[in-house]
Amino acid sequence: MQLNTHHLLAERPDWQAVLKLYLDLLDEVKIERDSEESGPRWARRIPQIENIDPEVLTEIHGQLIAMDLLTFQLEDKNDGLMYRITGEGRRALLAVEKQSIESESEMAA
């Protein structure tokens, strides 16, 4: 399953963009949180990304959740759905980024 996930993610730059944005948002949340707070970090749903239709973005969220690359929870009526990249999502994104860098290095050689 992991190899298939990495392959699918490698072919979908729009999926990579969503995961990368959540990863960046969660890094920002981590910086803003009190050092005594523990537990997983969550970010509000990304409502739009440049060059991705909002309906397509909704489908991407669903695909990433189905593939266990992204997870969500209902926070409360004010915050609504909160998202975070899963451990598998991080590994898959890093693997795709590493593969891309290696491919670029091979082409430059």
Side-chain angles (χ1 to χ4, degrees):
M1 172 88 172
Q2 216 175 27
L3 184 58
N4 189 28
T5 299
H6 295 181
H7 180 72
L8 281 171
L9 189 58
E11 293 181 346
R12 298 300 306 261
D14 50 348
W15 292 9
Q16 294 172 44
V18 172
L19 287 177
K20 179 72 172 125
L21 193 49
Y22 275 111
L23 192 59
D24 292 346
L25 285 172
L26 293 174
D27 285 344
E28 289 175 21
V29 169
K30 183 178 181 180
I31 291 168
E32 292 173 3
R33 285 178 63 158
D34 183 335
S35 61
E36 294 181 12
E37 287 185 77
S38 62
R41 275 95 175 143
W42 297 86
R44 284 187 173 82
R45 187 183 192 285
I46 298 168
Q48 62 186 23
I49 297 179
E50 190 174 329
N51 300 322
I52 299 178
D53 182 272
E55 288 181 23
V56 173
L57 185 57
T58 298
E59 292 174 19
I60 292 170
H61 275 85
Q63 290 293 329
L64 294 174
I65 291 166
M67 294 175 63
D68 193 34
L69 302 177
L70 189 66
T71 190
F72 70 95
Q73 71 176 16
L74 181 59
E75 192 67 21
D76 57 36
K77 68 179 181 179
N78 294 325
D79 289 327
L81 289 178
M82 303 291 282
Y83 291 79
R84 70 181 165 112
I85 188 171
T86 65
E88 177 58 27
R90 287 176 187 267
R91 284 187 292 276
L93 185 59
L94 291 173
V96 168
E97 289 175 346
K98 181 180 177 185
Q99 180 183 11
S100 177
I101 291 169
E102 288 173 356
S103 295
E104 289 173 10
S105 295
E106 288 174 7
M107 293 176 104

